[in-house]
Amino acid sequence: MKFPVKVKLVDVGPRDGLQNEKAPVPAAVKIGLVHRLQDAGLLHIEVTSFVSPKWVPQMADNAEVMAGIQRKAGVRYSVLTPNLKGFEAAVLSRPDEIVVFGAASEAFSQKNINCSIAESIERFAPVVEAARAAGIHVRGAMSCTVGCPYEGDIAPERVAYLAGLMKGIGVQHVGVADTIGVGTPRRVQAAIEATLKHYALDDVSGHFHDTYGQALANTLAAMELGVWQFDTSSAGLGGCPYAKGATGNVATEDVVYMLHGMGVETGIDLDKLVDAGAYISDFLQRKPNSRAATAILNKRVQ
Ligand code: HMG
Ligand code: MG
């Protein structure tokens, strides 16, 4: 078995994690998390989303958060944009990358962005065109590539279909998301293989929620196919308000612990990363949802 020797992690905690919190999280705390993540060596951070504040009130401070970050050279800052309105607002914050987000499941597309898959692609097309004309990198998130909270199992053919549509409108990179964390290694591999019909390996990443405790195994399974880019969340934050019952993304700390143990480079300082996860967990008044972080924090007080 040949695994990548280097892996790039995108910490999506400030966006995927905090979008799902019930209690308001002040912009200053979100900025504090981003600063700690970049200090820990993260080179790519998904900061916020320019979505409707009626749909996701937690992200209403998007512009304030983007403006408050002291940017570090070499770090890429991404934001989600579901439509042109979102893109036009986002572009004022000078993101390095925008993310359009679709779904392999019709029902999830309707619940999450209030339109069909075909309509979503029509909405994304001008966003992608405008972003690329402005020199902004474009990523596409593909939700429900294994299972959907409304439709159940999703066949790999539907993932290939969505990936083909994303490719057709000029999306440069796609993330294969297991939104509700039901995937197991072989099923996640099938979703990735379907995506690879349209995208090169270097333009595909994994985004695995850990609802059933499979996300670390799924990460390794994706690496078995050569995938070397993953979205993860510090302290295992995460979830989608329109995917009830789904828990956080795989914890960045757990993935880094596994990768460093395998001799795979990430450029991340695990101790500083644990500090970042502890910072946001303290604010949220709970323990980090990461076994590695818990073990390291326990060891520190011994
Ligand atoms: P809609 O209601 O169909 O939109 O929502 P609309 O175009 O009819 O507009 C309705 C109102 O929203 C109007 O305001 C618009 O101006 C406003 P009003 O006239 O009523 O005052 N509006 C906006 N405001 C701010 N920013 C915008 C925007 N667009 C319209 N961009 C829409 C459609 C897409 C906007 C809505 O469904 C929405 O915001 N959905 C976002 C849902 C979301 O953020 N979900 C979580 C992120 S995805 C995720 O977590 C999955 C991922 O992690 C991968 C995985 O795990 O699967 C990425
Ligand atoms: Mg997600």
Side-chain angles (χ1 to χ4, degrees), residues 33-207:
L33 174 60
V34 171
H35 286 163
R36 282 164 179 79
L37 291 171
Q38 61 192 21
D39 286 348
L42 266 302
L43 290 178
H44 195 156
I45 303 171
E46 201 168 272
V47 178
T48 186
S49 56
F50 286 81
V51 297
S52 159
K54 285 186 194 138
W55 284 64
V56 185
Q58 269 297 0
M59 297 285 109
D61 59 2
N62 40 32
E64 189 185 347
V65 173
M66 285 296 280
I69 297 168
Q70 287 181 6
R71 298 193 191 194
K72 196 173 161 188
V75 177
R76 188 181 266 193
Y77 303 91
S78 302
V79 302
L80 265 59
T81 55
N83 53 18
L84 261 183
K85 188 178 169 80
F87 175 75
E88 279 159 9
V91 83
L92 303 173
S93 296
R94 296 183 298 107
D96 300 297
E97 181 183 72
I98 57 117
V99 183
V100 291
F101 48 105
S105 132
E106 280 295 347
F108 189 77
S109 182
Q110 289 289 353
K111 297 273 186 193
N112 196 41
I113 50 173
N114 206 23
C115 63
S116 68
I117 296 171
E119 283 163 346
S120 75
I121 294 296
E122 275 171 35
R123 276 185 201 176
F124 299 154
V127 175
V128 176
E129 199 185 328
R132 293 198 60 179
I136 300 171
H137 191 259
V138 179
R139 198 150 47 95
M142 303 197 297
S143 288
C144 299
T145 61
V146 180
C148 166
Y150 311 102
E151 292 183 20
D153 285 354
I154 299 294
E157 292 70 32
R158 297 171 68 186
V159 180
Y161 174 68
L162 177 64
L165 293 176
M166 291 263 189
K167 187 81 187 178
I169 57 167
V171 171
Q172 292 163 286
H173 175 113
V174 282
V176 179
D178 181 9
T179 312
I180 54 170
V182 288
T184 43
R186 296 293 172 233
R187 297 208 48 220
V188 164
Q189 285 181 336
I192 291 168
E193 276 161 352
T195 306
L196 291 172
K197 292 197 163 97
H198 298 281
Y199 280 89
L201 195 53
D202 289 349
D203 299 324
V204 174
S205 54
H207 176 116

Side-chain angles (χ1 to χ4, degrees), residues 15-16 207 209 249:
R15 194 282 303 169
D16 199 327
H207 176 116
H209 285 262
N249 293 88

Side-chain angles (χ1 to χ4, degrees), residues 208-229:
F208 307 133
H209 285 262
D210 199 31
T211 319
Y212 286 81
Q214 304 298 300
L216 203 56
N218 292 340
T219 302
L220 200 61
M223 286 173 64
E224 208 176 88
L225 297 181
V227 174
W228 57 276
Q229 299 172 88

